[in-house]
Amino acid sequence: MSELLYVPVLRARPHAAKAYAWQPPIGRRRIAPLWNLPPRPEIDAPALTTGFRKDLASVGAVHRHNDGWIDAPFADETQMTVLADLLDERCMYARLRPVTGPDRSAFQQATSLETAARSQRGIGIRVPVAGEWDDGTGEAVRSLLARADPGVRVDLLLDMGAVLASRPDAGKEALRALDVLFPLAPWREVCVLSAGVPHVTADMLEQGPREEPRWDWAMWHEIAQSRRPYLPVVRYGDYGTQSVDAIAQPPSDPNRKGGPDWGFLRYTTEREFVISKVLHTGKRTSDKLAYNQEAARRIVELPSFRGLSAGAAEMWLHDLAGGGDKTGAFGEWLTVGNAQHLAYVAHTLGPQ
């Protein structure tokens, strides 16, 4: 990961894998996703295996030549018994590294450490800090590291969770955590992850497109300006253009009819996330095409719109705004939103 610039937390689903695949080759080399397997509340083991295999297949297909991590943060002990072999198999044959953390079960920690030792690709230690930093977490990380194979490289994934206006001290808490965690190991990679997109409701978009400040990006600048000696090796990470709760949602049932009447397009600017409401193509709304074209047009007409040369996402938005006959659906809107965000952040962080 010598070229690594950016670590997005993405759902291990086809729409996110497609967003990553849309990046140019140099972009994929600079971006190492932390893939989250979604919750799967099924109890039946065969159904779990089938669902998780599909999730892992969508991710494995885009990691033949580039590195990343694979995590199952929502799996309970029963599900981990099903997942352990699947994750081991994927980490052995794709360029993916297992993830564990001080808050995980003893079984999850042990199987992840074993997979890391077998694959020799390394392991991610994901440390959540949803509020104030607890020094006891540092001791738990130290204990976990003591159980790792000495030959396995370790990566620190400091996960700050949702960083919105309600967490003005998130940068200070991240630095407190880094001050404790950085000396614990010769980390290969050190990444600070956070989610700056809020949970979006219909009420938020009643008055048209909305601009939400990128609080997570502001936190990153606070960290970068702290003059800590370890800063040159710390990488930026975020949750793409999805909120923490959206990442944690189970996949929708493909056999279920209906669904929400609306969704939204996402666009990332220097300081804001622009969110524009669209209507679901599955609903009988006579003006949905015109409505969605106008939603895309409002993004394309932004002074900060980066133009067709920026990437496939901008081309998609331009085509819709220009009168295309396809309005898109939830998966496409997610792909476009994450694809433009990944490309923009990687470009922003890279050599200018």
Side-chain angles (χ1 to χ4, degrees), residues 256-277:
R256 190 186 72 177
K257 295 183 179 180
D261 293 330
W262 63 281
F264 54 95
L265 301 176
R266 308 151 169 88
Y267 201 70
T268 307
T269 69
E270 182 181 3
R271 298 184 182 275
E272 288 90 23
F273 297 105
V274 180
I275 302 168
S276 189
K277 182 179 177 181

Side-chain angles (χ1 to χ4, degrees), residues 7 13 23 41 83 85 100 108 129 166 177 213 223 226 248 260 266-267 270 273 292 301 304 323 344 347 352:
V7 179
R13 301 289 293 153
Q23 306 305 305
L83 260 176
D85 288 342
T100 189
Q108 196 278 343
V129 182
S166 58
I223 293 171
S226 68
R266 308 151 169 88
Y267 201 70
E270 182 181 3
F273 297 105
N292 291 4
E301 292 176 352
S304 53
Y344 177 61
H347 174 76
Q352 301 301 311

Side-chain angles (χ1 to χ4, degrees), residues 27 33 85 104 111 121 128 142 147 174 178 184 186 189 202 212 237 266 288 334:
D85 288 342
R104 308 299 175 88
T111 56
R121 299 188 192 281
R142 188 193 303 274
R147 295 162 51 201
L178 289 171
L184 297 184
E189 302 291 353
E212 286 288 332
R266 308 151 169 88
K288 63 190 173 189
L334 284 165

Side-chain angles (χ1 to χ4, degrees), residues 29-149:
R29 290 197 299 271
R30 293 174 172 177
I31 301 168
L34 167 54
W35 298 99
N36 274 18
L37 288 168
R40 287 194 173 273
E42 302 99 332
I43 299 175
D44 179 70
L48 277 173
T49 300
T50 299
F52 283 134
R53 278 196 180 280
K54 289 181 179 178
D55 298 333
L56 290 165
S58 66
V59 171
V62 294
H63 275 282
R64 295 187 180 92
H65 307 293
N66 300 291
D67 297 308
W69 295 271
I70 185 76
D71 194 10
F74 313 111
D76 59 26
E77 197 77 354
T78 300
Q79 292 178 334
M80 277 308 304
T81 61
V82 175
L83 260 176
D85 288 342
L86 298 178
L87 288 169
D88 182 82
E89 175 185 292
R90 184 57 58 187
C91 290
M92 290 298 296
Y93 298 107
R95 294 183 61 167
L96 292 169
R97 297 165 181 171
V99 174
T100 189
D103 58 330
R104 308 299 175 88
S105 70
F107 176 78
Q108 196 278 343
Q109 291 176 347
T111 56
S112 298
L113 292 170
E114 289 169 8
T115 292
R118 276 167 43 78
S119 69
Q120 289 296 304
R121 299 188 192 281
I123 188 168
I125 308 299
R126 189 173 186 175
V127 183
V129 182
E132 292 186 2
W133 168 251
D134 179 355
D135 284 337
T137 302
E139 290 305 312
V141 172
R142 188 193 303 274
S143 176
L144 177 58
L145 291 170
R147 295 162 51 201
D149 185 307

Side-chain angles (χ1 to χ4, degrees), residues 13 31 39 46 75 80 85 114 130 133 154 194 197 215 230 245 255-256 264 281 285 305 308 312 325 340 348:
R13 301 289 293 153
I31 301 168
M80 277 308 304
D85 288 342
E114 289 169 8
W133 168 251
V154 289
S194 59
V197 178
W215 297 109
Y230 49 71
D245 59 341
N255 298 316
R256 190 186 72 177
F264 54 95
T281 56
T285 307
F305 185 72
L308 300 184
D325 59 357
Q340 61 82 28
T348 301

Side-chain angles (χ1 to χ4, degrees), residues 96-249:
L96 292 169
R97 297 165 181 171
V99 174
T100 189
D103 58 330
R104 308 299 175 88
S105 70
F107 176 78
Q108 196 278 343
Q109 291 176 347
T111 56
S112 298
L113 292 170
E114 289 169 8
T115 292
R118 276 167 43 78
S119 69
Q120 289 296 304
R121 299 188 192 281
I123 188 168
I125 308 299
R126 189 173 186 175
V127 183
V129 182
E132 292 186 2
W133 168 251
D134 179 355
D135 284 337
T137 302
E139 290 305 312
V141 172
R142 188 193 303 274
S143 176
L144 177 58
L145 291 170
R147 295 162 51 201
D149 185 307
V152 171
R153 301 295 303 275
V154 289
D155 307 312
L156 174 59
L157 307 170
L158 178 63
D159 191 348
M160 300 301 294
V163 174
L164 305 172
S166 58
R167 289 186 72 187
D169 294 332
K172 294 181 179 61
E173 296 305 319
L175 288 169
R176 287 180 63 195
L178 289 171
D179 288 345
V180 173
L181 297 172
F182 191 83
L184 297 184
W187 306 103
R188 172 176 45 193
E189 302 291 353
V190 179
C191 314
V192 178
L193 316 169
S194 59
V197 178
H199 173 70
V200 179
T201 65
D203 291 344
M204 292 170 63
L205 303 179
E206 280 187 354
Q207 305 303 317
R210 184 182 181 101
E211 295 182 353
E212 286 288 332
R214 293 176 65 193
W215 297 109
D216 59 327
W217 189 238
M219 180 195 74
W220 171 249
H221 282 284
E222 181 180 348
I223 293 171
Q225 294 167 8
S226 68
R227 299 184 180 180
R228 295 298 203 276
Y230 49 71
L231 284 177
V233 300
V234 179
R235 307 301 180 210
Y236 171 78
D238 60 29
Y239 278 55
T241 55
Q242 291 195 270
S243 61
V244 169
D245 59 341
I247 290 282
Q249 288 294 314

